[in-house]
Amino acid sequence: MINFNLQLPVHLFFGKDAHKNIASQIPAGAKVLMTYGGGSIKTNGVYQKVQSALEGFEVVEFGGIEANPEYETLLRALKIIKEQEITFILAVGGGSVIDGTKFLSSAALFDGDTPWDILSKGIRTEVGMPFGTVLTLPATGSEMNSGAVISRKELNQKRPMGGPGLFPKFSICDPSVVASLPERQLANGIVDAFTHVMEQYMTYPTSATLQDRISEGILATLMEIAPKVMADPSDYDTAANFMWCCNMALNGIIQKGVPTDWSIHALGHEITALYGIDHARTLAIVLPSMYRYKADKKGAKLAQFSQRVLELSGSEAELATAAVDAIENFFHSLDVPTTLSAYPAMDAEEVAPEKIVQNLEKIRTIKLGEHGDILREDALSVLQSAY
């Protein structure tokens, strides 16, 4: 098992009426900026609950954070933080709102030339402005980790950031919010969480037995509850398991002590940056083609997935093929396409694998995967297969 450090400082409040804990977690006298997205929180009752919980605090609101949080939008929020002398931020939304809030937490205390440096230069945030989250859309696990991804449309870039200063002080996770989510967001959340686990699990066999078993448990649970969530998101117990799976998929536990991949995310981010396709759906596009292309290196682990999660038997080659086919069929069962050609081109442009690779090359040398052996031509082959 690889040596690791694990820090999980987030105080997680999980369950019905968890919002009642908000006031006790924010410092007395704090001036709060409440961030949110398109305004659905005002129709599903979350906004009213949060406002009630914030009674007694001075609160400034900033809405309109996009599904892929946009740098220019966040700069407007940053201006408010500085002009209004905000001391605490409360993110009310899904992973995008939380990611955008993490950027604000970092940028609020950043003393460099431009906040974009945090992303373009990969500057880790050691200390950020304190913030909490109220989760409304299970998917990314951002409510319990210290990572974020921010888009900048003018540059066609989508860049990661992180650091120990970007853990939320607390997170409110009430599964009741799942009942109001549309089918597309439910499907995206399931695919996102599933792929997060696969990026940390689907590498090669190691001695990290417990990490494998936890990962397989999350994957099996997602596949089991997916049709139930899609059919009846108002079922509380199913929604609770869905929300907890999304959290466990990327809260840091299954990542420790094992090799990780993240090549699917690297290519997926560029598809979103260029064409605006939902993040989770870009992962569904890349994953099957990536695993088929790397079957020689991932065959043993794919076979393990088939045996333990799908309960199949056969040769390693047969099991590896069955694993990828099953995952692709799982995505299709959620009405999530797994090819680039299934999506309309943006701005009348052709969705071109070559362009996606070129966009990634602008910001990094292409050397992806757990072995660092997915180079430019490999990435291009994967995307061409996914077309």
Side-chain angles (χ1 to χ4, degrees):
M1 190 182 300
I2 302 170
N3 291 358
F4 64 87
N5 296 318
L6 177 62
Q7 181 185 23
L8 295 177
V10 183
H11 193 157
L12 186 70
F13 295 92
F14 191 101
K16 293 179 181 178
D17 297 324
H19 68 279
K20 293 180 180 179
N21 295 285
I22 292 175
S24 65
Q25 299 303 304
I26 299 177
K31 188 171 184 180
V32 180
L33 177 69
M34 185 173 78
T35 57
Y36 55 92
S40 62
I41 63 169
K42 294 185 177 180
T43 59
N44 62 14
V46 173
Y47 177 84
Q48 291 78 4
K49 289 180 178 179
V50 173
Q51 284 289 78
S52 175
L54 289 173
E55 186 175 353
F57 290 96
E58 186 175 357
V59 180
V60 179
E61 296 182 18
F62 183 86
I65 296 177
E66 301 87 350
N68 293 292
E70 173 61 37
Y71 178 70
E72 294 299 329
T73 300
L74 297 173
L75 287 184
R76 296 198 299 272
L78 181 61
K79 184 178 180 182
I80 292 173
I81 288 174
K82 293 185 176 182
E83 291 179 348
Q84 298 282 339
E85 298 182 343
I86 299 296
T87 61
F88 193 93
I89 314 172
L90 183 65
V92 184
S96 293
V97 172
I98 298 172
D99 278 13
T101 299
K102 288 177 180 177
F103 169 80
L104 295 175
S105 168
S106 178
L109 304 183
F110 183 64
D111 60 1
D113 294 334
T114 168
W116 184 247
D117 287 347
I118 299 169
L119 297 139
S120 64
K121 296 181 180 180
I123 299 172
R124 282 169 57 84
T125 302
E126 300 297 331
V127 180
M129 178 172 285
F131 69 97
T133 84
V134 179
L135 183 66
T136 64
L137 172 59
T140 69
S142 191
E143 70 277 5
M144 203 169 168
N145 62 47
S146 60
V149 182
I150 305 299
S151 298
R152 192 169 183 180
K153 192 175 298 183
E154 63 178 308
L155 300 179
N156 285 330
Q157 291 186 13
K158 187 173 180 181
R159 292 200 174 223
M161 61 180 294
L166 295 182
F167 282 104
K169 299 301 180 186
F170 66 88
S171 285
I172 305 298
C173 295
D174 183 345
S176 301
V177 302
V178 173
S180 65
L181 297 176
E183 288 186 358
R184 186 183 184 94
Q185 289 186 331
L186 290 169
N188 283 355
I190 294 166
V191 171
D192 202 5
F194 190 93
T195 309
H196 285 159
V197 178
M198 295 300 273
E199 292 274 45
Q200 300 163 90
Y201 166 81
M202 190 54 66
T203 55
Y204 52 85
T206 71
S207 61
T209 306
L210 181 59
Q211 286 91 323
D212 273 4
R213 291 295 189 181
I214 296 173
S215 294
E216 289 155 1
I218 300 168
L219 295 168
T221 302
L222 284 169
M223 296 184 83
E224 177 185 338
I225 68 173
K228 301 176 185 177
V229 171
M230 298 299 292
D232 183 12
S234 65
D235 181 271
Y236 180 85
D237 288 334
T238 302
N241 279 290
F242 170 41
M243 182 174 279
W244 188 226
C245 280
C246 293
N247 186 291
M248 284 292 293
L250 204 59
N251 64 13
I253 291 175
I254 64 172
Q255 184 180 20
K256 302 306 180 183
V258 299
T260 60
D261 187 341
W262 300 109
S263 60
I264 296 165
H265 274 70
L267 297 179
H269 285 332
E270 300 312 313
I271 297 172
T272 297
L274 284 169
Y275 304 111
I277 297 173
D278 301 5
H279 168 65
R281 289 167 187 255
T282 69
L283 304 180
I285 290 168
V286 178
L287 185 150
S289 294
M290 179 65 76
Y291 288 173
R292 289 187 177 111
Y293 186 81
K294 298 299 294 182
D296 60 329
K297 297 290 182 68
K298 294 182 181 290
K301 208 64 180 286
L302 285 166
Q304 180 177 310
F305 171 86
S306 279
Q307 291 172 321
R308 295 185 179 181
V309 178
L310 304 179
E311 299 181 341
L312 300 177
S313 60
S315 68
E316 181 176 297
E318 290 171 338
L319 289 170
T321 298
V324 183
D325 290 345
I327 294 167
E328 189 165 41
N329 290 335
F330 176 54
F331 292 163
H332 291 166
S333 75
L334 300 169
D335 199 24
V336 177
T338 54
T339 60
L340 278 164
S341 56
Y343 294 88
M346 301 296 165
D347 299 325
E349 297 178 5
E350 181 184 0
V351 180
E354 177 70 30
K355 187 173 182 180
I356 296 166
V357 170
Q358 289 174 350
N359 208 53
L360 179 56
E361 284 183 309
K362 291 177 182 177
I363 60 174
R364 65 187 292 186
T365 299
I366 299 179
K367 192 175 181 180
L368 308 174
E370 64 270 26
H371 299 290
D373 60 355
I374 300 172
L375 308 180
R376 186 189 197 282
E377 292 307 312
D378 301 297
L380 185 59
S381 294
V382 169
L383 291 168
Q384 288 170 338
S385 297
Y387 189 75

